[in-house]
Amino acid sequence: MRSTHSRRATATGALIAAAALLAVGVQTGPASAAPDDGTARTATASKANPGALPKQLSPSQRAELIREATASRAATAKKLGLGSREKLVVRDVVQDNDGTTHTRYERTFDGLPVLGGDLVVQETGAGATESVVKASRATSAQLKAVDTVADITPAAATKQALGAAKAAGSDRAEADTAPRKVVWMASGTPQLAYETVVGGLQEDGTPNALHVITDASTGAKLYEWQAIENGVGNTEYSGQVTLGTSGSSGGYNLTDTARGSHKTYNLNHGTSGKGTLFSGADDVWGDGSASNPETAAADAHYGAAETWDYYKNVHGRTGIRGDGVGAYSRVHYGNNYVNAFWDDSCFCMTYGDGSGNANPLTALDVAAHEMSHGVTSNTAGLNYSGESGGLNEATSDIFATAVEFYSNTAADPGDYLIGEKIDINGDGTPLRYQDKPSRDGISKDSWYSGIGSIDVHYSSGPANHFFYLLSEGSGAKTINGVSYNSPTSDGLPVTGIGRAKAEQIWFKALTTKFTSTTNYAGARTGTLAVAGELYGTSSAEYKAVQDAWAGINVGARSDGGTDPTDPGDGTVFENKTAVSIPDGGSAVTSSVTVSGRSGKAPSALQVGVDITHTYRGDLVIDLVAPDGSTYRLKNSNISDSADNVKATYTVNASSETANGTWKLKVQDVYSGDSGKINSFKLTF
């Protein structure tokens, strides 16, 4: 078994630059796996360990921690076992109240950026390393045998990137910049590559920033991701509000000096540049109607202020980067542009005016969604593609909801609906639903193998659903006048712990456990780690996190999946014959034959698994029904370095005939460790 340091999960630098609110193209990638009002919806009244909560750092304190980490980065690289050709670059430092620090690094090799080489090092206040979380898996701590001489020309990489951009709807005939050499490590095996960025506009008018990774030896495309993620104010969506402005009588402008000098500009239907800073003789902005250009500006400016305040007052983060510097907002982008987006390259939020320029996309939750893309970009840097892209989008939705509840604006009270004010569908329905994402007709409620291949706005559904279940629990309820009815994938109930705790767990996981390549299985691991740090691994909160993930088909229940309302008769079918699991080889099976049952299998079939293995993160485990139907029990997870799998999973097998041969299928998908199936049992 390898050491923990060399086998923990790793991550790339900021691979995203921006994100749009709506889907603007097809994202591809590999698949892997209650209001705080004192109501009875919460599972427990226990409090978080105050020492494990994030410390509110001033910009100068954060800068000093970054300076200290930078000064000791060579020693850190040596301690982590990196090679002499590798260097660490400090990207961010988060500190807990007890002095624990979480330092996020990017990596270089012979001066080349290592995409997928980023990592987070957690140290005690005394400087002892507690854990290392990495974005990509490597069998060795060091990068070895990476040839830095390319076999193809930059022109060949550019040609391929332009072809990929054209297929994605770009109008650009040339790349924005010459391809740069990088070491591509996000897929696990480091190799020399070119990164090319193609700009222009996408089909719906959204700016394009397609990053294409090309194998520098063969010219094959390795990966691609889209880097555009999608006074007194009389606002259209939040009513009359107070705005932070600058100036004096006769000359005011929308500059919020109390919040990093955030500014709001008028693009006046242009698509480039900053536009013109909103200014006026009085300190009154807009009249509540879309026809007044200042109204959208008031909404955007207010949304930015409320989001700034939420992150600072709830999570101790001063500004998107934590450095006290404000971003800026641009309104009236394009003509009839039905979208909004965050863009790292300008460090700004941009809003269209909607269909017919009649419904600006400047509602409070939209503003919070876009600013939260900036927070994600400057923390975990979740790749905007595949499962990590879905988690990226869900993170923005989660904190959009959090900001709405925090703001408690009378005209726009908190809810678990996304974009409910902007009438994007023309029929008064919201853009997305967190209690049951599939209500929008396309988002997914639960994880399944292959979810990483759909658009990130729809693969975000399971994570949104997880957050709702963790906050409020399953079943029907009404909150702030809105009715919800949240199901679970296994048909078992989930009891919520309250929204405030759910927000804290997700934020701490985002900033200290997630990396650029985190998938759903990794998100479960990260949030459980945080729940353990905050509340303890035997707490109701920890168990609720397990149950909420199980409720979207990621991992097992805290109690092994027992439904108190449907205990079954306890009949057990078991196979205790050991089966060796090939290291990095083909799948193997253990079988049990069920007989003497009538009708279908239960909706809460318990699957007992006893596997000895020296690195359980290698393993993918499925239950195969007699008719060949497959139920995923466990995904591989590069950050899960513990030994063995001894768990009971719950499967809704009510569509399957009970009698017949059931199989436990196990595959070790990485090399370096070995194990065996000790036993497999089904409990009816």
Side-chain angles (χ1 to χ4, degrees), residues 27 385-394 432 437 442-448 450-464 520 552:
Q27 307 291 339
S385 182
E387 290 194 23
S388 59
L391 292 169
N392 187 318
E393 270 299 308
R432 287 188 283 275
I442 192 167
S443 292
K444 308 303 178 184
D445 291 335
S446 302
W447 182 91
Y448 64 92
I451 196 170
S453 64
I454 68 173
D455 187 278
V456 297
H457 297 83
Y458 311 129
S459 64
S460 66
N464 272 319
Y520 270 97
I552 65 159

PDB file of all heavy atoms in Angstrom, residues 27 385-394 432 437 442-448 450-464 520 552:
ATOM      1  N   GLN A  27     -21.640  20.347 -22.951  1.00  0.00           N
ATOM      2  CA  GLN A  27     -20.418  20.070 -22.209  1.00  0.00           C
ATOM      3  C   GLN A  27     -20.213  18.566 -22.190  1.00  0.00           C
ATOM      4  O   GLN A  27     -21.144  17.811 -21.983  1.00  0.00           O
ATOM      5  CB  GLN A  27     -20.545  20.579 -20.766  1.00  0.00           C
ATOM      6  CG  GLN A  27     -20.947  22.043 -20.672  1.00  0.00           C
ATOM      7  CD  GLN A  27     -19.866  22.977 -21.146  1.00  0.00           C
ATOM      8  OE1 GLN A  27     -18.702  22.612 -21.194  1.00  0.00           O
ATOM      9  NE2 GLN A  27     -20.219  24.175 -21.503  1.00  0.00           N
ATOM     10  N   SER A 385     -16.739  21.266 -16.980  1.00  0.00           N
ATOM     11  CA  SER A 385     -17.037  20.186 -17.904  1.00  0.00           C
ATOM     12  C   SER A 385     -17.186  18.917 -17.084  1.00  0.00           C
ATOM     13  O   SER A 385     -16.616  18.810 -15.993  1.00  0.00           O
ATOM     14  CB  SER A 385     -15.919  20.025 -18.940  1.00  0.00           C
ATOM     15  OG  SER A 385     -16.208  19.019 -19.873  1.00  0.00           O
ATOM     16  N   GLY A 386     -17.953  17.941 -17.578  1.00  0.00           N
ATOM     17  CA  GLY A 386     -18.126  16.695 -16.868  1.00  0.00           C
ATOM     18  C   GLY A 386     -18.785  16.888 -15.511  1.00  0.00           C
ATOM     19  O   GLY A 386     -19.496  17.865 -15.267  1.00  0.00           O
ATOM     20  N   GLU A 387     -18.552  15.954 -14.603  1.00  0.00           N
ATOM     21  CA  GLU A 387     -19.195  16.021 -13.290  1.00  0.00           C
ATOM     22  C   GLU A 387     -18.734  17.239 -12.488  1.00  0.00           C
ATOM     23  O   GLU A 387     -19.518  17.838 -11.750  1.00  0.00           O
ATOM     24  CB  GLU A 387     -18.932  14.737 -12.506  1.00  0.00           C
ATOM     25  CG  GLU A 387     -19.665  13.534 -13.070  1.00  0.00           C
ATOM     26  CD  GLU A 387     -19.683  12.348 -12.128  1.00  0.00           C
ATOM     27  OE1 GLU A 387     -19.541  12.532 -10.905  1.00  0.00           O
ATOM     28  OE2 GLU A 387     -19.858  11.208 -12.616  1.00  0.00           O
ATOM     29  N   SER A 388     -17.459  17.612 -12.623  1.00  0.00           N
ATOM     30  CA  SER A 388     -16.990  18.800 -11.904  1.00  0.00           C
ATOM     31  C   SER A 388     -17.722  20.044 -12.387  1.00  0.00           C
ATOM     32  O   SER A 388     -17.980  20.970 -11.610  1.00  0.00           O
ATOM     33  CB  SER A 388     -15.480  18.969 -12.079  1.00  0.00           C
ATOM     34  OG  SER A 388     -15.134  19.094 -13.446  1.00  0.00           O
ATOM     35  N   GLY A 389     -18.076  20.087 -13.691  1.00  0.00           N
ATOM     36  CA  GLY A 389     -18.836  21.217 -14.213  1.00  0.00           C
ATOM     37  C   GLY A 389     -20.235  21.285 -13.618  1.00  0.00           C
ATOM     38  O   GLY A 389     -20.753  22.366 -13.325  1.00  0.00           O
ATOM     39  N   GLY A 390     -20.872  20.121 -13.432  1.00  0.00           N
ATOM     40  CA  GLY A 390     -22.179  20.096 -12.790  1.00  0.00           C
ATOM     41  C   GLY A 390     -22.099  20.586 -11.355  1.00  0.00           C
ATOM     42  O   GLY A 390     -22.967  21.332 -10.877  1.00  0.00           O
ATOM     43  N   LEU A 391     -21.037  20.198 -10.644  1.00  0.00           N
ATOM     44  CA  LEU A 391     -20.845  20.672  -9.272  1.00  0.00           C
ATOM     45  C   LEU A 391     -20.573  22.172  -9.248  1.00  0.00           C
ATOM     46  O   LEU A 391     -20.987  22.879  -8.328  1.00  0.00           O
ATOM     47  CB  LEU A 391     -19.693  19.912  -8.620  1.00  0.00           C
ATOM     48  CG  LEU A 391     -19.949  18.424  -8.353  1.00  0.00           C
ATOM     49  CD1 LEU A 391     -18.648  17.730  -7.957  1.00  0.00           C
ATOM     50  CD2 LEU A 391     -20.991  18.238  -7.266  1.00  0.00           C
ATOM     51  N   ASN A 392     -19.855  22.663 -10.261  1.00  0.00           N
ATOM     52  CA  ASN A 392     -19.599  24.104 -10.391  1.00  0.00           C
ATOM     53  C   ASN A 392     -20.916  24.871 -10.503  1.00  0.00           C
ATOM     54  O   ASN A 392     -21.171  25.835  -9.767  1.00  0.00           O
ATOM     55  CB  ASN A 392     -18.724  24.334 -11.633  1.00  0.00           C
ATOM     56  CG  ASN A 392     -18.256  25.758 -11.780  1.00  0.00           C
ATOM     57  OD1 ASN A 392     -19.000  26.694 -11.564  1.00  0.00           O
ATOM     58  ND2 ASN A 392     -17.010  25.930 -12.193  1.00  0.00           N
ATOM     59  N   GLU A 393     -21.772  24.424 -11.418  1.00  0.00           N
ATOM     60  CA  GLU A 393     -23.066  25.090 -11.600  1.00  0.00           C
ATOM     61  C   GLU A 393     -23.922  24.986 -10.342  1.00  0.00           C
ATOM     62  O   GLU A 393     -24.573  25.947  -9.940  1.00  0.00           O
ATOM     63  CB  GLU A 393     -23.809  24.467 -12.789  1.00  0.00           C
ATOM     64  CG  GLU A 393     -23.522  25.123 -14.112  1.00  0.00           C
ATOM     65  CD  GLU A 393     -23.932  26.587 -14.142  1.00  0.00           C
ATOM     66  OE1 GLU A 393     -25.096  26.896 -13.798  1.00  0.00           O
ATOM     67  OE2 GLU A 393     -23.105  27.429 -14.489  1.00  0.00           O
ATOM     68  N   ALA A 394     -23.951  23.806  -9.733  1.00  0.00           N
ATOM     69  CA  ALA A 394     -24.754  23.633  -8.528  1.00  0.00           C
ATOM     70  C   ALA A 394     -24.265  24.539  -7.403  1.00  0.00           C
ATOM     71  O   ALA A 394     -25.072  25.087  -6.641  1.00  0.00           O
ATOM     72  CB  ALA A 394     -24.712  22.174  -8.079  1.00  0.00           C
ATOM     73  N   ARG A 432     -34.805  26.793 -12.560  1.00  0.00           N
ATOM     74  CA  ARG A 432     -34.444  25.503 -11.972  1.00  0.00           C
ATOM     75  C   ARG A 432     -35.114  25.340 -10.608  1.00  0.00           C
ATOM     76  O   ARG A 432     -35.440  26.319  -9.939  1.00  0.00           O
ATOM     77  CB  ARG A 432     -32.919  25.373 -11.827  1.00  0.00           C
ATOM     78  CG  ARG A 432     -32.205  25.157 -13.151  1.00  0.00           C
ATOM     79  CD  ARG A 432     -30.733  24.832 -12.973  1.00  0.00           C
ATOM     80  NE  ARG A 432     -29.924  25.986 -12.651  1.00  0.00           N
ATOM     81  CZ  ARG A 432     -29.409  26.818 -13.563  1.00  0.00           C
ATOM     82  NH1 ARG A 432     -29.657  26.640 -14.846  1.00  0.00           N
ATOM     83  NH2 ARG A 432     -28.644  27.839 -13.198  1.00  0.00           N
ATOM     84  N   PRO A 437     -35.145  18.666  -9.161  1.00  0.00           N
ATOM     85  CA  PRO A 437     -34.609  19.327 -10.361  1.00  0.00           C
ATOM     86  C   PRO A 437     -35.300  18.932 -11.663  1.00  0.00           C
ATOM     87  O   PRO A 437     -35.408  19.753 -12.583  1.00  0.00           O
ATOM     88  CB  PRO A 437     -33.137  18.914 -10.356  1.00  0.00           C
ATOM     89  CG  PRO A 437     -32.818  18.738  -8.901  1.00  0.00           C
ATOM     90  CD  PRO A 437     -34.054  18.124  -8.319  1.00  0.00           C
ATOM     91  N   ILE A 442     -35.679  18.655 -17.788  1.00  0.00           N
ATOM     92  CA  ILE A 442     -34.414  18.170 -18.349  1.00  0.00           C
ATOM     93  C   ILE A 442     -33.331  17.918 -17.310  1.00  0.00           C
ATOM     94  O   ILE A 442     -32.473  17.063 -17.511  1.00  0.00           O
ATOM     95  CB  ILE A 442     -33.906  19.163 -19.435  1.00  0.00           C
ATOM     96  CG1 ILE A 442     -32.769  18.534 -20.224  1.00  0.00           C
ATOM     97  CG2 ILE A 442     -33.493  20.497 -18.819  1.00  0.00           C
ATOM     98  CD1 ILE A 442     -32.432  19.292 -21.487  1.00  0.00           C
ATOM     99  N   SER A 443     -33.332  18.631 -16.184  1.00  0.00           N
ATOM    100  CA  SER A 443     -32.314  18.401 -15.153  1.00  0.00           C
ATOM    101  C   SER A 443     -32.525  17.042 -14.501  1.00  0.00           C
ATOM    102  O   SER A 443     -33.621  16.476 -14.537  1.00  0.00           O
ATOM    103  CB  SER A 443     -32.365  19.505 -14.086  1.00  0.00           C
ATOM    104  OG  SER A 443     -31.947  20.738 -14.621  1.00  0.00           O
ATOM    105  N   LYS A 444     -31.467  16.530 -13.887  1.00  0.00           N
ATOM    106  CA  LYS A 444     -31.508  15.200 -13.291  1.00  0.00           C
ATOM    107  C   LYS A 444     -31.631  15.296 -11.772  1.00  0.00           C
ATOM    108  O   LYS A 444     -31.004  16.137 -11.138  1.00  0.00           O
ATOM    109  CB  LYS A 444     -30.251  14.403 -13.663  1.00  0.00           C
ATOM    110  CG  LYS A 444     -29.973  14.356 -15.173  1.00  0.00           C
ATOM    111  CD  LYS A 444     -31.139  13.792 -15.959  1.00  0.00           C
ATOM    112  CE  LYS A 444     -30.856  13.791 -17.450  1.00  0.00           C
ATOM    113  NZ  LYS A 444     -32.025  13.329 -18.240  1.00  0.00           N
ATOM    114  N   ASP A 445     -32.443  14.390 -11.209  1.00  0.00           N
ATOM    115  CA  ASP A 445     -32.644  14.362  -9.765  1.00  0.00           C
ATOM    116  C   ASP A 445     -31.532  13.627  -9.038  1.00  0.00           C
ATOM    117  O   ASP A 445     -31.216  13.948  -7.895  1.00  0.00           O
ATOM    118  CB  ASP A 445     -33.975  13.681  -9.419  1.00  0.00           C
ATOM    119  CG  ASP A 445     -35.185  14.488  -9.835  1.00  0.00           C
ATOM    120  OD1 ASP A 445     -35.065  15.721  -9.946  1.00  0.00           O
ATOM    121  OD2 ASP A 445     -36.253  13.879 -10.050  1.00  0.00           O
ATOM    122  N   SER A 446     -30.948  12.612  -9.683  1.00  0.00           N
ATOM    123  CA  SER A 446     -29.991  11.735  -9.015  1.00  0.00           C
ATOM    124  C   SER A 446     -28.807  11.430  -9.921  1.00  0.00           C
ATOM    125  O   SER A 446     -28.899  11.535 -11.146  1.00  0.00           O
ATOM    126  CB  SER A 446     -30.665  10.416  -8.608  1.00  0.00           C
ATOM    127  OG  SER A 446     -31.772  10.666  -7.765  1.00  0.00           O
ATOM    128  N   TRP A 447     -27.721  11.009  -9.276  1.00  0.00           N
ATOM    129  CA  TRP A 447     -26.519  10.631 -10.022  1.00  0.00           C
ATOM    130  C   TRP A 447     -26.754   9.328 -10.767  1.00  0.00           C
ATOM    131  O   TRP A 447     -27.461   8.434 -10.294  1.00  0.00           O
ATOM    132  CB  TRP A 447     -25.348  10.457  -9.056  1.00  0.00           C
ATOM    133  CG  TRP A 447     -24.067  10.105  -9.756  1.00  0.00           C
ATOM    134  CD1 TRP A 447     -23.117  10.970 -10.213  1.00  0.00           C
ATOM    135  CD2 TRP A 447     -23.604   8.795 -10.100  1.00  0.00           C
ATOM    136  NE1 TRP A 447     -22.101  10.289 -10.824  1.00  0.00           N
ATOM    137  CE2 TRP A 447     -22.373   8.952 -10.773  1.00  0.00           C
ATOM    138  CE3 TRP A 447     -24.119   7.528  -9.923  1.00  0.00           C
ATOM    139  CZ2 TRP A 447     -21.638   7.874 -11.248  1.00  0.00           C
ATOM    140  CZ3 TRP A 447     -23.400   6.439 -10.405  1.00  0.00           C
ATOM    141  CH2 TRP A 447     -22.177   6.617 -11.055  1.00  0.00           C
ATOM    142  N   TYR A 448     -26.144   9.198 -11.939  1.00  0.00           N
ATOM    143  CA  TYR A 448     -26.109   7.937 -12.671  1.00  0.00           C
ATOM    144  C   TYR A 448     -24.835   7.921 -13.500  1.00  0.00           C
ATOM    145  O   TYR A 448     -24.251   8.968 -13.804  1.00  0.00           O
ATOM    146  CB  TYR A 448     -27.347   7.770 -13.574  1.00  0.00           C
ATOM    147  CG  TYR A 448     -27.440   8.803 -14.688  1.00  0.00           C
ATOM    148  CD1 TYR A 448     -26.893   8.564 -15.951  1.00  0.00           C
ATOM    149  CD2 TYR A 448     -28.060  10.036 -14.474  1.00  0.00           C
ATOM    150  CE1 TYR A 448     -26.969   9.505 -16.959  1.00  0.00           C
ATOM    151  CE2 TYR A 448     -28.129  10.979 -15.475  1.00  0.00           C
ATOM    152  CZ  TYR A 448     -27.595  10.718 -16.718  1.00  0.00           C
ATOM    153  OH  TYR A 448     -27.655  11.659 -17.723  1.00  0.00           O
ATOM    154  N   GLY A 450     -22.660   8.218 -16.389  1.00  0.00           N
ATOM    155  CA  GLY A 450     -22.868   8.933 -17.643  1.00  0.00           C
ATOM    156  C   GLY A 450     -23.388  10.338 -17.459  1.00  0.00           C
ATOM    157  O   GLY A 450     -23.503  11.091 -18.422  1.00  0.00           O
ATOM    158  N   ILE A 451     -23.691  10.745 -16.225  1.00  0.00           N
ATOM    159  CA  ILE A 451     -24.225  12.091 -16.019  1.00  0.00           C
ATOM    160  C   ILE A 451     -23.205  13.156 -16.404  1.00  0.00           C
ATOM    161  O   ILE A 451     -23.557  14.274 -16.773  1.00  0.00           O
ATOM    162  CB  ILE A 451     -24.690  12.297 -14.563  1.00  0.00           C
ATOM    163  CG1 ILE A 451     -25.599  13.539 -14.471  1.00  0.00           C
ATOM    164  CG2 ILE A 451     -23.503  12.409 -13.602  1.00  0.00           C
ATOM    165  CD1 ILE A 451     -26.306  13.700 -13.158  1.00  0.00           C
ATOM    166  N   GLY A 452     -21.921  12.793 -16.398  1.00  0.00           N
ATOM    167  CA  GLY A 452     -20.889  13.756 -16.765  1.00  0.00           C
ATOM    168  C   GLY A 452     -20.871  14.111 -18.231  1.00  0.00           C
ATOM    169  O   GLY A 452     -20.161  15.031 -18.643  1.00  0.00           O
ATOM    170  N   SER A 453     -21.651  13.414 -19.047  1.00  0.00           N
ATOM    171  CA  SER A 453     -21.648  13.684 -20.487  1.00  0.00           C
ATOM    172  C   SER A 453     -22.748  14.651 -20.910  1.00  0.00           C
ATOM    173  O   SER A 453     -22.815  15.022 -22.077  1.00  0.00           O
ATOM    174  CB  SER A 453     -21.806  12.372 -21.267  1.00  0.00           C
ATOM    175  OG  SER A 453     -23.067  11.782 -21.006  1.00  0.00           O
ATOM    176  N   ILE A 454     -23.611  15.079 -19.983  1.00  0.00           N
ATOM    177  CA  ILE A 454     -24.671  16.017 -20.352  1.00  0.00           C
ATOM    178  C   ILE A 454     -24.263  17.440 -19.968  1.00  0.00           C
ATOM    179  O   ILE A 454     -23.278  17.658 -19.271  1.00  0.00           O
ATOM    180  CB  ILE A 454     -26.016  15.645 -19.701  1.00  0.00           C
ATOM    181  CG1 ILE A 454     -25.965  15.845 -18.182  1.00  0.00           C
ATOM    182  CG2 ILE A 454     -26.391  14.203 -20.040  1.00  0.00           C
ATOM    183  CD1 ILE A 454     -27.319  15.656 -17.506  1.00  0.00           C
ATOM    184  N   ASP A 455     -25.033  18.415 -20.435  1.00  0.00           N
ATOM    185  CA  ASP A 455     -24.730  19.816 -20.157  1.00  0.00           C
ATOM    186  C   ASP A 455     -24.638  20.060 -18.648  1.00  0.00           C
ATOM    187  O   ASP A 455     -25.446  19.545 -17.864  1.00  0.00           O
ATOM    188  CB  ASP A 455     -25.813  20.714 -20.765  1.00  0.00           C
ATOM    189  CG  ASP A 455     -25.462  22.174 -20.649  1.00  0.00           C
ATOM    190  OD1 ASP A 455     -25.693  22.755 -19.559  1.00  0.00           O
ATOM    191  OD2 ASP A 455     -24.953  22.742 -21.632  1.00  0.00           O
ATOM    192  N   VAL A 456     -23.667  20.869 -18.256  1.00  0.00           N
ATOM    193  CA  VAL A 456     -23.402  21.084 -16.835  1.00  0.00           C
ATOM    194  C   VAL A 456     -24.573  21.730 -16.098  1.00  0.00           C
ATOM    195  O   VAL A 456     -24.711  21.567 -14.885  1.00  0.00           O
ATOM    196  CB  VAL A 456     -22.127  21.930 -16.631  1.00  0.00           C
ATOM    197  CG1 VAL A 456     -20.911  21.199 -17.158  1.00  0.00           C
ATOM    198  CG2 VAL A 456     -22.257  23.309 -17.287  1.00  0.00           C
ATOM    199  N   HIS A 457     -25.418  22.470 -16.824  1.00  0.00           N
ATOM    200  CA  HIS A 457     -26.564  23.089 -16.172  1.00  0.00           C
ATOM    201  C   HIS A 457     -27.595  22.061 -15.744  1.00  0.00           C
ATOM    202  O   HIS A 457     -28.427  22.329 -14.870  1.00  0.00           O
ATOM    203  CB  HIS A 457     -27.195  24.131 -17.092  1.00  0.00           C
ATOM    204  CG  HIS A 457     -26.288  25.266 -17.419  1.00  0.00           C
ATOM    205  ND1 HIS A 457     -25.334  25.187 -18.422  1.00  0.00           N
ATOM    206  CD2 HIS A 457     -26.157  26.499 -16.868  1.00  0.00           C
ATOM    207  CE1 HIS A 457     -24.665  26.335 -18.469  1.00  0.00           C
ATOM    208  NE2 HIS A 457     -25.142  27.139 -17.543  1.00  0.00           N
ATOM    209  N   TYR A 458     -27.570  20.882 -16.358  1.00  0.00           N
ATOM    210  CA  TYR A 458     -28.533  19.830 -16.039  1.00  0.00           C
ATOM    211  C   TYR A 458     -27.905  18.735 -15.175  1.00  0.00           C
ATOM    212  O   TYR A 458     -28.595  18.118 -14.364  1.00  0.00           O
ATOM    213  CB  TYR A 458     -29.112  19.242 -17.323  1.00  0.00           C
ATOM    214  CG  TYR A 458     -29.590  20.322 -18.273  1.00  0.00           C
ATOM    215  CD1 TYR A 458     -29.201  20.356 -19.614  1.00  0.00           C
ATOM    216  CD2 TYR A 458     -30.401  21.362 -17.809  1.00  0.00           C
ATOM    217  CE1 TYR A 458     -29.616  21.373 -20.462  1.00  0.00           C
ATOM    218  CE2 TYR A 458     -30.815  22.387 -18.643  1.00  0.00           C
ATOM    219  CZ  TYR A 458     -30.416  22.384 -19.975  1.00  0.00           C
ATOM    220  OH  TYR A 458     -30.826  23.398 -20.808  1.00  0.00           O
ATOM    221  N   SER A 459     -26.590  18.530 -15.325  1.00  0.00           N
ATOM    222  CA  SER A 459     -25.915  17.584 -14.432  1.00  0.00           C
ATOM    223  C   SER A 459     -25.720  18.191 -13.043  1.00  0.00           C
ATOM    224  O   SER A 459     -25.309  17.502 -12.113  1.00  0.00           O
ATOM    225  CB  SER A 459     -24.567  17.163 -15.013  1.00  0.00           C
ATOM    226  OG  SER A 459     -23.677  18.263 -15.118  1.00  0.00           O
ATOM    227  N   SER A 460     -26.032  19.474 -12.899  1.00  0.00           N
ATOM    228  CA  SER A 460     -25.990  20.121 -11.581  1.00  0.00           C
ATOM    229  C   SER A 460     -27.156  19.676 -10.705  1.00  0.00           C
ATOM    230  O   SER A 460     -27.126  19.861  -9.484  1.00  0.00           O
ATOM    231  CB  SER A 460     -26.043  21.643 -11.747  1.00  0.00           C
ATOM    232  OG  SER A 460     -27.292  22.051 -12.293  1.00  0.00           O
ATOM    233  N   GLY A 461     -28.184  19.085 -11.320  1.00  0.00           N
ATOM    234  CA  GLY A 461     -29.399  18.733 -10.592  1.00  0.00           C
ATOM    235  C   GLY A 461     -29.174  17.910  -9.342  1.00  0.00           C
ATOM    236  O   GLY A 461     -29.694  18.253  -8.266  1.00  0.00           O
ATOM    237  N   PRO A 462     -28.417  16.801  -9.405  1.00  0.00           N
ATOM    238  CA  PRO A 462     -28.233  15.994  -8.194  1.00  0.00           C
ATOM    239  C   PRO A 462     -27.604  16.763  -7.029  1.00  0.00           C
ATOM    240  O   PRO A 462     -28.001  16.566  -5.877  1.00  0.00           O
ATOM    241  CB  PRO A 462     -27.324  14.861  -8.672  1.00  0.00           C
ATOM    242  CG  PRO A 462     -27.645  14.718 -10.127  1.00  0.00           C
ATOM    243  CD  PRO A 462     -27.881  16.125 -10.605  1.00  0.00           C
ATOM    244  N   ALA A 463     -26.634  17.626  -7.295  1.00  0.00           N
ATOM    245  CA  ALA A 463     -26.007  18.389  -6.209  1.00  0.00           C
ATOM    246  C   ALA A 463     -26.976  19.418  -5.637  1.00  0.00           C
ATOM    247  O   ALA A 463     -27.011  19.646  -4.423  1.00  0.00           O
ATOM    248  CB  ALA A 463     -24.739  19.075  -6.700  1.00  0.00           C
ATOM    249  N   ASN A 464     -27.774  20.061  -6.499  1.00  0.00           N
ATOM    250  CA  ASN A 464     -28.821  20.946  -6.002  1.00  0.00           C
ATOM    251  C   ASN A 464     -29.797  20.173  -5.120  1.00  0.00           C
ATOM    252  O   ASN A 464     -30.233  20.646  -4.065  1.00  0.00           O
ATOM    253  CB  ASN A 464     -29.572  21.580  -7.177  1.00  0.00           C
ATOM    254  CG  ASN A 464     -28.942  22.864  -7.652  1.00  0.00           C
ATOM    255  OD1 ASN A 464     -28.510  23.684  -6.862  1.00  0.00           O
ATOM    256  ND2 ASN A 464     -28.890  23.056  -8.967  1.00  0.00           N
ATOM    257  N   TYR A 520     -18.845  13.672  -8.300  1.00  0.00           N
ATOM    258  CA  TYR A 520     -19.870  13.506  -7.269  1.00  0.00           C
ATOM    259  C   TYR A 520     -19.376  12.655  -6.104  1.00  0.00           C
ATOM    260  O   TYR A 520     -19.640  12.972  -4.934  1.00  0.00           O
ATOM    261  CB  TYR A 520     -21.146  12.915  -7.885  1.00  0.00           C
ATOM    262  CG  TYR A 520     -22.093  13.992  -8.372  1.00  0.00           C
ATOM    263  CD1 TYR A 520     -22.113  14.382  -9.701  1.00  0.00           C
ATOM    264  CD2 TYR A 520     -22.954  14.631  -7.491  1.00  0.00           C
ATOM    265  CE1 TYR A 520     -22.967  15.392 -10.147  1.00  0.00           C
ATOM    266  CE2 TYR A 520     -23.815  15.630  -7.917  1.00  0.00           C
ATOM    267  CZ  TYR A 520     -23.821  16.008  -9.248  1.00  0.00           C
ATOM    268  OH  TYR A 520     -24.671  17.000  -9.665  1.00  0.00           O
ATOM    269  N   ILE A 552     -29.609  10.798  -3.418  1.00  0.00           N
ATOM    270  CA  ILE A 552     -29.426  11.100  -4.848  1.00  0.00           C
ATOM    271  C   ILE A 552     -28.539  10.044  -5.505  1.00  0.00           C
ATOM    272  O   ILE A 552     -27.910  10.295  -6.524  1.00  0.00           O
ATOM    273  CB  ILE A 552     -28.855  12.518  -5.070  1.00  0.00           C
ATOM    274  CG1 ILE A 552     -27.440  12.631  -4.485  1.00  0.00           C
ATOM    275  CG2 ILE A 552     -29.769  13.588  -4.486  1.00  0.00           C
ATOM    276  CD1 ILE A 552     -26.624  13.755  -5.069  1.00  0.00           C
TER     277      ILE A 552
END
